[in-house]
Structures are given as C-alpha cells and as structure tokens.
C-alpha cells in the first residue's frame, strides 16, 4: 500500500476502512480483520493498526468485544457519512465554490452537470 507522507498512516488506514463503510449498505456486526492480519495485509506495524482501530472505536465506528475482536457498529455508516459531510462543509466546500465562481459556472450549469452525474450520464 502506498501512503501519503503528509498524513499519519493510522489515519490513512482509518480512511480506507471508512471508505469501505461508506460504500457498504450494512456491515452491522461484521468482524474486522485482527490487528495482526490487517497489519500483514497493509504492510504496516501492528501498533499502527491498533492506533487505527482505537481511533475508529473512539469515533464510534467500530467496537471491541474483549477477547473476540473488533466489529462494525450498527450505525457505522451513518457516523462515517456525518463525519465526512462535516469535513466537506467545514473544509472543502469553500475551495469548490471558489472554483465554480472562478470558472464562471452558473448555478444552472452546475445543476445540469450534477443532475447528469447522479443519473449516470456523466462523461
């Protein structure tokens, strides 16, 4: 796995797990790989995976059943979507809106592009 040097590896692993949660309809109660197995799969130290799992647990996305392992929370997808919406609206949308203005994309243009995109008609 290739990692971005500008972001801690444990957060990049958390992003990867949250991507899976976001794409899945339901992971409720499904078990995550063991810390050791996930470390081997990703090629990182087990302590880094443990830090990832601890962070995800603090965010309420996963939970630990002592002696059994880590599992996805029933509301994991809702929590991930809420977290990512917050980041989008707090950090990303200003750049996006500035680009729309700079490129002189009208609300009508954007609405048409967005409508085509969500209907699967995008190029």
């Amino acid at each position: 796995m290739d990692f971005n040097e500008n972001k801690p590896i444990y957060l990049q692993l958390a992003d990867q797990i949250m991507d899976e949660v976001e794409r899945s309809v339901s992971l409720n109660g499904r078990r995550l790989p063991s810390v050791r197995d996930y470390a081997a799969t990703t090629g990182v130290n087990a302590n880094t995976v443990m830090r990832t799992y601890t962070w995800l647990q603090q965010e309420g996305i996963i939970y630990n059943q002592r002696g059994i392992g880590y599992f996805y929370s029933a509301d994991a997808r809702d929590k991930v979507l809420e977290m990512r919406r917050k980041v989008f609206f707090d950090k990303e949308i200003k750049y996006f809106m500035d680009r729309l203005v700079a490129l002189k994309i009208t609300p009508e243009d954007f609405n048409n592009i967005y409508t085509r995109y969500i209907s699967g008609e995008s190029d």
Side-chain angles (χ1 to χ4, degrees):
M1 186 171 177
D2 293 328
F3 294 103
N4 177 343
E5 63 185 47
N6 297 321
K7 186 174 187 178
I9 292 173
Y10 82 96
L11 290 177
Q12 292 178 62
L13 294 174
D15 282 340
Q16 182 178 335
I17 292 169
M18 290 190 302
D19 287 346
E20 182 181 346
V21 169
E22 188 178 316
R23 287 189 304 268
S24 299
V25 175
S26 176
L27 294 171
N28 181 15
R30 195 178 103 201
R31 189 172 188 263
L32 281 85
S34 71
V35 170
R36 198 171 304 177
D37 287 346
Y38 198 59
T41 300
T42 57
V44 301
N45 186 291
N47 290 330
T48 302
V49 173
M50 189 67 225
R51 191 168 182 192
T52 299
Y53 283 9
T54 299
W55 186 85
L56 290 168
Q57 185 175 3
Q58 290 171 342
E59 296 299 323
I61 296 164
I62 65 174
Y63 64 92
N64 184 18
Q65 284 189 343
R66 188 172 227 139
I68 299 174
Y70 288 90
F71 297 83
Y72 292 98
S73 301
D75 60 348
R77 188 165 193 270
D78 292 337
K79 289 192 180 288
V80 168
L81 292 176
E82 177 184 333
M83 183 184 304
R84 288 188 164 174
R85 282 184 188 119
K86 182 171 178 18
V87 168
F88 179 75
F89 285 115
D90 290 352
K91 297 181 179 175
E92 297 171 1
I93 201 159
K94 182 178 180 345
Y95 173 79
F96 178 75
M97 298 303 280
D98 287 346
R99 295 302 297 157
L100 290 175
V101 171
L103 297 171
K104 298 183 183 192
I105 297 173
T106 67
E108 295 79 19
D109 292 337
F110 179 74
N111 186 45
N112 290 334
I113 292 165
Y114 181 72
T115 301
R116 283 196 325 265
Y117 181 82
I118 62 172
S119 70
E121 297 175 22
S122 62
D123 297 331

